[in-house]
Amino acid sequence: MTAYDDTNIFAQILRGEIPCFKVYEDDDTLCFMDIMPRTDGHCLVIPKTPCRNVLDASDAQLAAVMSTVRKVANAAKAAFDADGITLQQFNETAGGQEVFHLHFHIHPRHEGVSMRPPGKMGDTDVIKGYAERISAAL
Ligand code: 5GP
């Protein structure tokens, strides 16, 4: 398996080298908004320690990340009055992964509303407001 490369964008966010809209943080994990949101409230949960994805993550990293995923998913569902939550998680390029630091996507979902296509930048003021909305529900 390819080694972890700490120049990836999420490692830069963890080091504070580039900004993010933070939703939640504890000793082991960080949750922040996706800048190309495919749903209103689309956010990402990452471990604070390095691993590429589920394939090289430790049990402790996965346990910490999943605990935060559950916490934030419930808050996002309440904040957006969502009918459900979609989780996405991709492993390696062939599996659809683009940023090689383990992350889970959290998407609030509403009946009959499709996810938007990937790759389109969101409005930063709107994304900031959504981060505050989920944080307030935590
Ligand atoms: P994946 O690796 O799961 O395919 O997708 C990586 C995700 O990271 C994408 O949804 C993309 O929009 C998001 N992303 C890429 N660059 C940045 C960034 O600089 N900041 C934030 N907050 N999200 C990013």
Side-chain angles (χ1 to χ4, degrees):
M1 177 153 192
T2 313
Y4 181 82
D5 176 357
D6 72 0
T7 61
N8 74 75
I9 204 93
F10 297 167
Q12 293 176 52
I13 287 175
L14 282 169
R15 289 194 296 268
E17 293 167 3
I18 62 166
C20 71
F21 293 114
K22 186 167 80 176
V23 172
Y24 172 83
E25 177 173 27
D26 61 22
D27 287 348
D28 302 315
T29 64
L30 174 69
C31 176
F32 56 95
M33 302 306 288
D34 197 299
I35 47 161
M36 293 178 256
R38 298 191 58 194
T39 53
D40 293 348
H42 179 180
C43 57
L44 304 166
V45 177
I46 66 173
K48 288 186 172 178
T49 49
C51 60
R52 282 173 69 83
N53 51 46
V54 161
L55 302 175
D56 67 335
S58 69
D59 289 353
Q61 286 173 315
L62 288 174
V65 165
M66 289 315 296
S67 172
T68 297
V69 164
R70 178 177 53 193
K71 200 173 292 179
V72 175
N74 277 304
K77 184 170 181 293
F80 286 87
D81 196 22
D83 300 311
I85 293 285
T86 297
L87 300 180
Q88 288 183 308
Q89 195 281 317
F90 305 109
N91 300 278
E92 300 301 328
T93 305
Q97 186 175 12
E98 292 181 351
V99 178
F100 296 96
H101 182 109
L102 173 65
H103 54 280
F104 280 76
H105 300 253
I106 297 176
H107 297 280
R109 301 297 303 276
H110 296 89
E111 294 291 349
V113 179
S114 298
M115 285 172 56
R116 298 185 285 270
K120 187 167 181 291
M121 287 294 285
D123 180 301
T124 49
D125 287 339
V126 172
I127 292 173
K128 181 172 183 283
Y130 287 167
E132 290 165 358
R133 206 154 130 184
I134 301 170
S135 293
L138 276 161

